[in-house]
Amino acid sequence: MRHEVTPADTALAVGSGDVEVLATPRLLTWLEYATAQLALRALGPGQTSVGTAVRIRHRLPTRVGDTVDIVADAPVVDGRQLLFRVRATNSAGQLIADGELERVVVDRSRFLANVP
Protein backbone atom coordinates (compact mmCIF):
# COMPACT_ATOMS: atom_id res chain seq x y z
CA MET A 1 0.00 0.00 0.00
CA ARG A 2 1.26 3.46 -0.79
CA HIS A 3 0.26 6.64 1.05
CA GLU A 4 1.20 10.25 0.43
CA VAL A 5 1.91 12.22 3.60
CA THR A 6 -0.46 15.19 3.81
CA PRO A 7 -0.64 18.03 6.34
CA ALA A 8 -3.42 16.07 8.09
CA ASP A 9 -0.97 13.18 8.67
CA THR A 10 1.57 15.19 10.66
CA ALA A 11 2.39 15.04 14.35
CA LEU A 12 1.26 18.66 14.62
CA ALA A 13 -2.14 17.87 13.07
CA VAL A 14 -2.89 14.76 15.12
CA GLY A 15 -1.58 16.16 18.38
CA SER A 16 1.28 13.73 18.94
CA GLY A 17 3.99 16.38 18.61
CA ASP A 18 4.73 19.84 17.29
CA VAL A 19 6.51 19.10 14.01
CA GLU A 20 5.11 18.81 10.51
CA VAL A 21 6.34 15.30 9.69
CA LEU A 22 4.50 11.99 9.53
CA ALA A 23 2.93 11.26 12.91
CA THR A 24 3.60 7.91 14.52
CA PRO A 25 -0.14 7.39 15.23
CA ARG A 26 -0.95 7.89 11.52
CA LEU A 27 1.84 5.50 10.53
CA LEU A 28 0.46 2.94 12.97
CA THR A 29 -3.00 3.34 11.46
CA TRP A 30 -1.60 2.55 8.01
CA LEU A 31 0.30 -0.47 9.35
CA GLU A 32 -2.77 -1.76 11.20
CA TYR A 33 -4.94 -1.37 8.11
CA ALA A 34 -2.48 -3.52 6.14
CA THR A 35 -2.59 -6.27 8.78
CA ALA A 36 -6.38 -6.13 9.05
CA GLN A 37 -6.65 -6.64 5.30
CA LEU A 38 -4.31 -9.64 5.38
CA ALA A 39 -6.17 -11.08 8.39
CA LEU A 40 -9.34 -11.31 6.30
CA ARG A 41 -7.87 -14.44 4.69
CA ALA A 42 -7.83 -16.23 8.06
CA LEU A 43 -11.43 -15.42 8.99
CA GLY A 44 -14.45 -17.67 8.87
CA PRO A 45 -18.10 -16.65 8.74
CA GLY A 46 -19.04 -14.32 11.61
CA GLN A 47 -15.41 -13.67 12.56
CA THR A 48 -13.31 -10.53 12.66
CA SER A 49 -9.85 -9.72 13.98
CA VAL A 50 -8.87 -7.17 16.57
CA GLY A 51 -5.52 -5.61 17.32
CA THR A 52 -3.99 -6.71 20.62
CA ALA A 53 -0.32 -5.73 20.63
CA VAL A 54 2.02 -3.35 18.82
CA ARG A 55 5.80 -3.07 18.74
CA ILE A 56 6.90 -0.46 16.19
CA ARG A 57 10.16 1.42 15.75
CA HIS A 58 9.61 4.74 13.95
CA ARG A 59 13.15 5.25 12.68
CA LEU A 60 13.13 8.28 10.33
CA PRO A 61 10.95 11.37 9.84
CA THR A 62 8.96 11.75 6.62
CA ARG A 63 8.06 15.12 5.09
CA VAL A 64 4.67 16.23 3.81
CA GLY A 65 4.43 15.31 0.13
CA ASP A 66 6.64 12.23 0.38
CA THR A 67 5.18 8.77 -0.13
CA VAL A 68 5.26 5.86 2.26
CA ASP A 69 5.05 2.23 1.18
CA ILE A 70 3.54 -0.10 3.78
CA VAL A 71 4.25 -3.84 3.77
CA ALA A 72 2.82 -6.49 6.07
CA ASP A 73 4.05 -10.06 5.72
CA ALA A 74 1.72 -13.03 5.92
CA PRO A 75 1.02 -13.76 9.56
CA VAL A 76 2.48 -16.42 11.76
CA VAL A 77 -0.64 -18.18 12.99
CA ASP A 78 -0.88 -19.67 16.48
CA GLY A 79 -4.47 -20.74 17.07
CA ARG A 80 -6.50 -17.51 17.05
CA GLN A 81 -3.40 -15.31 17.29
CA LEU A 82 -1.95 -13.71 14.15
CA LEU A 83 1.53 -12.15 14.34
CA PHE A 84 2.53 -9.81 11.50
CA ARG A 85 5.93 -8.37 10.65
CA VAL A 86 5.50 -4.89 9.18
CA ARG A 87 7.68 -2.23 7.62
CA ALA A 88 7.41 1.16 5.96
CA THR A 89 9.77 2.82 3.51
CA ASN A 90 9.90 6.34 2.06
CA SER A 91 10.15 7.30 -1.63
CA ALA A 92 13.96 6.97 -1.45
CA GLY A 93 13.58 3.36 -0.30
CA GLN A 94 14.78 4.14 3.23
CA LEU A 95 13.32 2.11 6.08
CA ILE A 96 11.28 4.55 8.17
CA ALA A 97 9.58 2.01 10.44
CA ASP A 98 9.46 -1.68 11.25
CA GLY A 99 8.08 -3.98 13.88
CA GLU A 100 5.33 -6.43 14.74
CA LEU A 101 1.59 -6.21 15.14
CA GLU A 102 -0.57 -8.86 16.74
CA ARG A 103 -4.22 -9.50 16.00
CA VAL A 104 -6.61 -12.08 17.44
CA VAL A 105 -9.47 -13.72 15.58
CA VAL A 106 -12.77 -13.36 17.46
CA ASP A 107 -16.43 -14.12 16.91
CA ARG A 108 -17.88 -10.71 16.01
CA SER A 109 -21.21 -11.15 17.85
CA ARG A 110 -19.64 -12.48 21.07
CA PHE A 111 -16.99 -9.76 20.99
CA LEU A 112 -19.56 -6.98 20.62
CA ALA A 113 -21.79 -8.54 23.29
CA ASN A 114 -18.93 -8.09 25.80
CA VAL A 115 -18.47 -4.39 25.12
CA PRO A 116 -19.69 -2.49 28.23
PDB file of all heavy atoms in Angstrom, residues 45-62:
ATOM      1  N   PRO A  45     -16.843 -17.379   8.643  1.00  0.00           N
ATOM      2  CA  PRO A  45     -18.098 -16.646   8.744  1.00  0.00           C
ATOM      3  C   PRO A  45     -18.334 -16.148  10.175  1.00  0.00           C
ATOM      4  O   PRO A  45     -18.110 -16.880  11.140  1.00  0.00           O
ATOM      5  CB  PRO A  45     -19.160 -17.684   8.354  1.00  0.00           C
ATOM      6  CG  PRO A  45     -18.415 -18.701   7.549  1.00  0.00           C
ATOM      7  CD  PRO A  45     -17.027 -18.745   8.126  1.00  0.00           C
ATOM      8  N   GLY A  46     -18.746 -14.891  10.304  1.00  0.00           N
ATOM      9  CA  GLY A  46     -19.044 -14.316  11.606  1.00  0.00           C
ATOM     10  C   GLY A  46     -17.826 -13.897  12.418  1.00  0.00           C
ATOM     11  O   GLY A  46     -17.967 -13.457  13.552  1.00  0.00           O
ATOM     12  N   GLN A  47     -16.629 -14.024  11.836  1.00  0.00           N
ATOM     13  CA  GLN A  47     -15.413 -13.666  12.561  1.00  0.00           C
ATOM     14  C   GLN A  47     -14.854 -12.320  12.095  1.00  0.00           C
ATOM     15  O   GLN A  47     -15.123 -11.874  10.980  1.00  0.00           O
ATOM     16  CB  GLN A  47     -14.328 -14.726  12.363  1.00  0.00           C
ATOM     17  CG  GLN A  47     -14.652 -16.056  12.990  1.00  0.00           C
ATOM     18  CD  GLN A  47     -13.523 -17.053  12.795  1.00  0.00           C
ATOM     19  OE1 GLN A  47     -12.881 -17.100  11.753  1.00  0.00           O
ATOM     20  NE2 GLN A  47     -13.295 -17.871  13.822  1.00  0.00           N
ATOM     21  N   THR A  48     -14.094 -11.711  12.975  1.00  0.00           N
ATOM     22  CA  THR A  48     -13.309 -10.530  12.658  1.00  0.00           C
ATOM     23  C   THR A  48     -11.991 -10.665  13.408  1.00  0.00           C
ATOM     24  O   THR A  48     -11.797 -11.612  14.167  1.00  0.00           O
ATOM     25  CB  THR A  48     -14.054  -9.227  13.023  1.00  0.00           C
ATOM     26  OG1 THR A  48     -13.339  -8.123  12.465  1.00  0.00           O
ATOM     27  CG2 THR A  48     -14.204  -9.052  14.522  1.00  0.00           C
ATOM     28  N   SER A  49     -11.095  -9.722  13.199  1.00  0.00           N
ATOM     29  CA  SER A  49      -9.853  -9.719  13.977  1.00  0.00           C
ATOM     30  C   SER A  49      -9.728  -8.369  14.662  1.00  0.00           C
ATOM     31  O   SER A  49     -10.218  -7.354  14.164  1.00  0.00           O
ATOM     32  CB  SER A  49      -8.634 -10.002  13.094  1.00  0.00           C
ATOM     33  OG  SER A  49      -8.372  -8.921  12.217  1.00  0.00           O
ATOM     34  N   VAL A  50      -9.089  -8.400  15.810  1.00  0.00           N
ATOM     35  CA  VAL A  50      -8.871  -7.169  16.573  1.00  0.00           C
ATOM     36  C   VAL A  50      -7.395  -7.068  16.924  1.00  0.00           C
ATOM     37  O   VAL A  50      -6.736  -8.075  17.185  1.00  0.00           O
ATOM     38  CB  VAL A  50      -9.750  -7.118  17.852  1.00  0.00           C
ATOM     39  CG1 VAL A  50     -11.222  -7.054  17.490  1.00  0.00           C
ATOM     40  CG2 VAL A  50      -9.479  -8.304  18.763  1.00  0.00           C
ATOM     41  N   GLY A  51      -6.897  -5.837  16.939  1.00  0.00           N
ATOM     42  CA  GLY A  51      -5.518  -5.611  17.320  1.00  0.00           C
ATOM     43  C   GLY A  51      -5.339  -5.795  18.816  1.00  0.00           C
ATOM     44  O   GLY A  51      -6.185  -5.369  19.604  1.00  0.00           O
ATOM     45  N   THR A  52      -4.237  -6.450  19.204  1.00  0.00           N
ATOM     46  CA  THR A  52      -3.994  -6.710  20.620  1.00  0.00           C
ATOM     47  C   THR A  52      -2.621  -6.279  21.102  1.00  0.00           C
ATOM     48  O   THR A  52      -2.431  -6.099  22.303  1.00  0.00           O
ATOM     49  CB  THR A  52      -4.182  -8.206  20.950  1.00  0.00           C
ATOM     50  OG1 THR A  52      -3.330  -8.972  20.095  1.00  0.00           O
ATOM     51  CG2 THR A  52      -5.631  -8.627  20.757  1.00  0.00           C
ATOM     52  N   ALA A  53      -1.659  -6.131  20.203  1.00  0.00           N
ATOM     53  CA  ALA A  53      -0.316  -5.733  20.626  1.00  0.00           C
ATOM     54  C   ALA A  53       0.416  -5.071  19.462  1.00  0.00           C
ATOM     55  O   ALA A  53       0.213  -5.435  18.304  1.00  0.00           O
ATOM     56  CB  ALA A  53       0.483  -6.928  21.124  1.00  0.00           C
ATOM     57  N   VAL A  54       1.262  -4.098  19.818  1.00  0.00           N
ATOM     58  CA  VAL A  54       2.021  -3.349  18.819  1.00  0.00           C
ATOM     59  C   VAL A  54       3.442  -3.140  19.324  1.00  0.00           C
ATOM     60  O   VAL A  54       3.641  -2.743  20.472  1.00  0.00           O
ATOM     61  CB  VAL A  54       1.378  -1.959  18.562  1.00  0.00           C
ATOM     62  CG1 VAL A  54       2.226  -1.138  17.616  1.00  0.00           C
ATOM     63  CG2 VAL A  54      -0.031  -2.104  18.046  1.00  0.00           C
ATOM     64  N   ARG A  55       4.401  -3.394  18.457  1.00  0.00           N
ATOM     65  CA  ARG A  55       5.804  -3.071  18.740  1.00  0.00           C
ATOM     66  C   ARG A  55       6.384  -2.497  17.450  1.00  0.00           C
ATOM     67  O   ARG A  55       6.697  -3.231  16.516  1.00  0.00           O
ATOM     68  CB  ARG A  55       6.579  -4.318  19.161  1.00  0.00           C
ATOM     69  CG  ARG A  55       8.063  -4.107  19.230  1.00  0.00           C
ATOM     70  CD  ARG A  55       8.513  -3.731  20.634  1.00  0.00           C
ATOM     71  NE  ARG A  55       9.950  -3.721  20.673  1.00  0.00           N
ATOM     72  CZ  ARG A  55      10.652  -2.658  20.983  1.00  0.00           C
ATOM     73  NH1 ARG A  55      10.047  -1.533  21.304  1.00  0.00           N
ATOM     74  NH2 ARG A  55      11.950  -2.692  21.006  1.00  0.00           N
ATOM     75  N   ILE A  56       6.460  -1.165  17.396  1.00  0.00           N
ATOM     76  CA  ILE A  56       6.902  -0.465  16.192  1.00  0.00           C
ATOM     77  C   ILE A  56       8.085   0.438  16.533  1.00  0.00           C
ATOM     78  O   ILE A  56       8.069   1.117  17.559  1.00  0.00           O
ATOM     79  CB  ILE A  56       5.756   0.417  15.622  1.00  0.00           C
ATOM     80  CG1 ILE A  56       4.552  -0.438  15.248  1.00  0.00           C
ATOM     81  CG2 ILE A  56       6.222   1.239  14.421  1.00  0.00           C
ATOM     82  CD1 ILE A  56       4.816  -1.447  14.169  1.00  0.00           C
ATOM     83  N   ARG A  57       9.055   0.462  15.656  1.00  0.00           N
ATOM     84  CA  ARG A  57      10.162   1.419  15.753  1.00  0.00           C
ATOM     85  C   ARG A  57       9.996   2.419  14.609  1.00  0.00           C
ATOM     86  O   ARG A  57      10.092   2.032  13.448  1.00  0.00           O
ATOM     87  CB  ARG A  57      11.506   0.692  15.655  1.00  0.00           C
ATOM     88  CG  ARG A  57      11.821  -0.152  16.880  1.00  0.00           C
ATOM     89  CD  ARG A  57      13.020  -1.051  16.642  1.00  0.00           C
ATOM     90  NE  ARG A  57      12.728  -2.055  15.616  1.00  0.00           N
ATOM     91  CZ  ARG A  57      12.235  -3.269  15.863  1.00  0.00           C
ATOM     92  NH1 ARG A  57      11.980  -3.634  17.094  1.00  0.00           N
ATOM     93  NH2 ARG A  57      12.008  -4.106  14.881  1.00  0.00           N
ATOM     94  N   HIS A  58       9.726   3.665  14.951  1.00  0.00           N
ATOM     95  CA  HIS A  58       9.611   4.737  13.951  1.00  0.00           C
ATOM     96  C   HIS A  58      11.005   5.340  13.840  1.00  0.00           C
ATOM     97  O   HIS A  58      11.429   6.093  14.703  1.00  0.00           O
ATOM     98  CB  HIS A  58       8.567   5.755  14.408  1.00  0.00           C
ATOM     99  CG  HIS A  58       8.129   6.689  13.327  1.00  0.00           C
ATOM    100  ND1 HIS A  58       7.013   7.467  13.474  1.00  0.00           N
ATOM    101  CD2 HIS A  58       8.629   6.963  12.100  1.00  0.00           C
ATOM    102  CE1 HIS A  58       6.856   8.199  12.369  1.00  0.00           C
ATOM    103  NE2 HIS A  58       7.824   7.907  11.532  1.00  0.00           N
ATOM    104  N   ARG A  59      11.715   5.009  12.776  1.00  0.00           N
ATOM    105  CA  ARG A  59      13.151   5.254  12.676  1.00  0.00           C
ATOM    106  C   ARG A  59      13.548   6.591  12.035  1.00  0.00           C
ATOM    107  O   ARG A  59      14.567   7.160  12.393  1.00  0.00           O
ATOM    108  CB  ARG A  59      13.812   4.124  11.901  1.00  0.00           C
ATOM    109  CG  ARG A  59      13.658   2.777  12.586  1.00  0.00           C
ATOM    110  CD  ARG A  59      14.195   1.664  11.702  1.00  0.00           C
ATOM    111  NE  ARG A  59      14.132   0.380  12.347  1.00  0.00           N
ATOM    112  CZ  ARG A  59      15.057  -0.107  13.164  1.00  0.00           C
ATOM    113  NH1 ARG A  59      16.110   0.603  13.460  1.00  0.00           N
ATOM    114  NH2 ARG A  59      14.912  -1.309  13.680  1.00  0.00           N
ATOM    115  N   LEU A  60      12.778   7.051  11.060  1.00  0.00           N
ATOM    116  CA  LEU A  60      13.127   8.275  10.326  1.00  0.00           C
ATOM    117  C   LEU A  60      11.897   9.148  10.126  1.00  0.00           C
ATOM    118  O   LEU A  60      10.800   8.634   9.904  1.00  0.00           O
ATOM    119  CB  LEU A  60      13.682   7.937   8.933  1.00  0.00           C
ATOM    120  CG  LEU A  60      15.040   7.281   8.833  1.00  0.00           C
ATOM    121  CD1 LEU A  60      15.330   6.905   7.372  1.00  0.00           C
ATOM    122  CD2 LEU A  60      16.128   8.199   9.362  1.00  0.00           C
ATOM    123  N   PRO A  61      12.076  10.480  10.133  1.00  0.00           N
ATOM    124  CA  PRO A  61      10.947  11.372   9.837  1.00  0.00           C
ATOM    125  C   PRO A  61      10.642  11.361   8.336  1.00  0.00           C
ATOM    126  O   PRO A  61      11.509  11.072   7.513  1.00  0.00           O
ATOM    127  CB  PRO A  61      11.455  12.745  10.284  1.00  0.00           C
ATOM    128  CG  PRO A  61      12.942  12.659  10.163  1.00  0.00           C
ATOM    129  CD  PRO A  61      13.302  11.230  10.460  1.00  0.00           C
ATOM    130  N   THR A  62       9.386  11.686   8.017  1.00  0.00           N
ATOM    131  CA  THR A  62       8.958  11.754   6.620  1.00  0.00           C
ATOM    132  C   THR A  62       8.208  13.055   6.408  1.00  0.00           C
ATOM    133  O   THR A  62       7.266  13.378   7.132  1.00  0.00           O
ATOM    134  CB  THR A  62       8.038  10.554   6.278  1.00  0.00           C
ATOM    135  OG1 THR A  62       8.701   9.341   6.640  1.00  0.00           O
ATOM    136  CG2 THR A  62       7.718  10.526   4.795  1.00  0.00           C
TER     137      THR A  62
END
